[in-house]
Amino acid sequence: MAQIGFDEVTKVYEDGTEAVRAVDLTIEDGTLMVLVGPSGCGKTTLLRMVAGLEEITGGSIRLGDAVINDVEAKNRDLAMVFQNYALYPHMTCYDNMAFGLKLRKVPRKEIDRRVRETARTLGLEDQLKKKPRALSGGQRQRVAMGRAIVREPQAFLMDEPLSNLDAKLRVQMRTEISRIQRDLGTTMIYVTHDQTEAMTMGDRVAVMNRGVLQQVDAPQDMYDRPANLFVAGFIGSPAMNMVDAVVRRSEGGGAVEFAGISLRVPEETFQQRPALAARDGGKVVLGIRPEDIEDPQFINDRLEGADIRVVVDIREAMGSEVYVHFGVDAPPVITDDTIDLAADAELLPEAEGGAQASFVARLNPRTSAQRGQPITLQVDTRRMHFFDRDSGEAI
């Protein structure tokens, strides 16, 4: 088991593309660290540099106390699980799991002990004599994980291992991977583009975009206190609502104004964010998470100055909750961060000064909200987020 450290790690390809830029990151021994971000953000490149499958352009990577930049991949004592399983089709599950140990000349009895013990952990005892074609997708993924586990490496590297599975099986397998990592106590770097996987699995989460590390934090802390617009929009589903707004400071509190709407900002918010208090009359990007908007009939303690009157464009009944979509009479926020977020969601960014900003509210399933009808909703103004429009940084 070992700590993994990145010191100013950079990767530039021959054509000049900078895939990873000066990453500083320490992953403590026994931690499950999730690297998450959109396609092309550099997360897989970073993982492959740890594995020794990509050369490092600059900086250094440490495994324990040793710098491993020039150590061959086969000598790094790391085990990698790929997206496509990479099982040998002509071998049984047993032989697939034992193959790496045989190459390392591990004694036969020790191989048998490790394979059978790992098979019990993964629920594969009845599958050991079968070949991969006879297994389900989930079972194949377990065999691929088993092949990594039997090696008893210093750390596991996982590159989107669940992306080929259906939604239900993904939920089951991510729970299983978390359990196995916890039971083994091994350091693990897990790469995914799925922020739900990141939030549910990671001890810590590192968000990347354009090769740059945006924020590293515990999942809930990242959700509650995103460092910038990109993290705010990427972490959370449905995504955070964003709109350009103006802050007004007054005695005992203040307000944030947008699209003819004024929401009261509690004094506690200004006390906690002195930089916001200094922006009286200044422009900010206001962020409101969908779950911080509710139908007032299901709120016991109504907040003063927190109501908004909207017309429902779309109602999506999800069973345990209802998503209500509506527009506010203000243009969408267009910055480099929001353009990247739109591209990741395969959406076309709105034109500056164009259509209304789209909002989503996550309401109690018994809400009376109906498509095409006006409704008053309440914002939890104690949980609003504020960002600098130019830098994108949280205020």
Side-chain angles (χ1 to χ4, degrees):
M1 316 307 170
Q3 181 188 84
I4 299 174
F6 300 85
D7 300 309
E8 295 290 311
V9 173
T10 297
K11 174 66 179 182
V12 181
Y13 289 104
E14 290 182 0
D15 63 359
T17 301
E18 190 175 38
V20 175
R21 185 190 310 167
V23 167
D24 277 315
L25 177 64
T26 298
I27 303 170
E28 298 295 341
D29 185 14
T31 297
L32 198 168
M33 172 68 78
V34 179
L35 300 181
V36 64
S39 298
C41 73
K43 57 188 184 295
T44 293
T45 301
L46 195 63
L47 190 77
R48 288 173 61 84
M49 285 194 286
V50 180
L53 303 177
E54 291 273 4
E55 290 186 5
I56 301 168
T57 305
S60 62
I61 297 178
R62 291 174 286 104
L63 183 61
D65 296 326
V67 175
I68 59 172
N69 290 31
D70 299 321
V71 177
E72 289 189 42
K74 65 181 181 180
N75 297 325
R76 292 195 179 190
D77 196 17
L78 301 168
M80 192 161 181
V81 179
F82 297 93
Q83 176 179 342
N84 62 359
Y85 316 146
L87 300 177
Y88 297 107
H90 63 286
M91 292 184 182
T92 64
C93 294
Y94 184 102
D95 289 334
N96 264 285
M97 292 168 67
F99 185 70
L101 299 180
K102 290 178 181 177
L103 290 180
R104 288 170 174 76
K105 311 295 186 185
V106 175
R108 185 179 300 175
K109 285 187 177 180
E110 176 64 10
I111 292 175
D112 189 68
R113 181 192 69 78
R114 290 196 201 178
V115 169
R116 295 191 183 281
E117 191 175 280
T118 301
R120 279 195 298 275
T121 300
L122 296 171
L124 290 171
E125 291 173 283
D126 296 335
Q127 315 300 327
L128 289 177
K129 294 181 180 180
K130 296 181 181 178
K131 293 182 178 179
R133 64 175 176 270
L135 305 177
S136 68
Q139 289 169 334
R140 291 177 193 173
Q141 188 55 271
R142 286 188 180 91
V143 175
M145 288 176 57
R147 184 175 54 192
I149 291 169
V150 295
R151 288 183 50 191
E152 299 179 355
Q154 292 196 62
F156 293 106
L157 310 177
M158 296 203 170
D159 187 13
E160 306 210 31
L162 307 184
S163 58
N164 289 338
L165 305 180
D166 62 52
K168 185 176 181 180
L169 193 51
R170 276 203 306 272
V171 173
Q172 178 185 334
M173 285 300 298
R174 73 187 185 216
T175 302
E176 200 156 308
I177 290 174
S178 296
R179 177 186 61 79
I180 291 167
Q181 186 275 336
R182 185 174 61 251
D183 290 347
L184 296 175
T186 310
T187 307
M188 181 183 291
I189 304 179
Y190 186 102
V191 164
T192 181
H193 67 278
D194 185 334
Q195 57 94 17
T196 301
E197 278 184 20
M199 293 294 289
T200 55
M201 293 180 65
D203 297 318
R204 292 178 68 75
V205 177
V207 177
M208 294 186 69
N209 187 39
R210 298 190 181 189
V212 177
L213 205 56
Q214 303 290 314
Q215 184 175 355
V216 183
D217 222 327
Q220 193 62 48
D221 291 339
M222 180 174 289
Y223 185 82
D224 291 337
R225 292 181 290 278
N228 55 41
L229 276 172
F230 183 83
V231 176
F234 191 82
I235 297 296
S237 181
M240 182 183 287
N241 303 300
M242 298 176 184
V243 67
D244 285 318
V246 175
V247 175
R248 305 289 185 194
R249 189 77 166 93
S250 60
E251 187 175 345
V256 60
E257 300 171 353
F258 63 96
I261 297 169
S262 178
L263 294 173
R264 184 177 180 277
V265 180
E267 176 62 27
E268 294 77 19
T269 300
F270 288 113
Q271 291 176 358
Q272 294 164 2
R273 307 175 192 224
L276 182 66
R279 293 197 178 214
D280 186 17
K283 292 183 178 180
V284 298
V285 174
L286 171 66
I288 304 173
R289 290 211 180 272
E291 53 271 34
D292 293 328
I293 308 174
E294 182 57 281
D295 186 332
Q297 65 178 311
F298 303 106
I299 299 174
N300 292 327
D301 300 317
R302 295 286 297 273
L303 297 173
E304 181 184 346
D307 288 353
I308 56 175
R309 186 74 173 169
V310 303
V311 176
V312 178
D313 292 330
I314 300 172
R315 173 193 163 110
E316 295 179 302
M318 309 297 290
S320 61
E321 58 200 359
V322 169
Y323 294 166
V324 165
H325 300 251
F326 57 90
V328 298
D329 194 16
V333 176
I334 307 298
T335 68
D336 288 345
D337 285 333
T338 59
I339 289 171
D340 288 344
L341 290 166
D344 179 59
E346 299 183 347
L347 300 172
L348 292 174
E350 303 280 0
E352 188 84 60
Q356 289 183 318
S358 298
F359 270 45
V360 183
R362 200 170 182 170
L363 307 183
N364 187 293
R366 295 180 296 281
T367 179
S368 58
Q370 296 296 327
R371 181 179 178 182
Q373 298 298 313
I375 187 173
T376 296
L377 300 176
Q378 180 169 120
V379 176
D380 188 342
T381 51
R382 300 162 298 189
R383 296 182 58 81
M384 296 188 294
H385 301 262
F386 303 88
F387 303 90
D388 182 276
R389 200 185 196 287
D390 295 328
S391 69
E393 297 299 310
I395 301 171

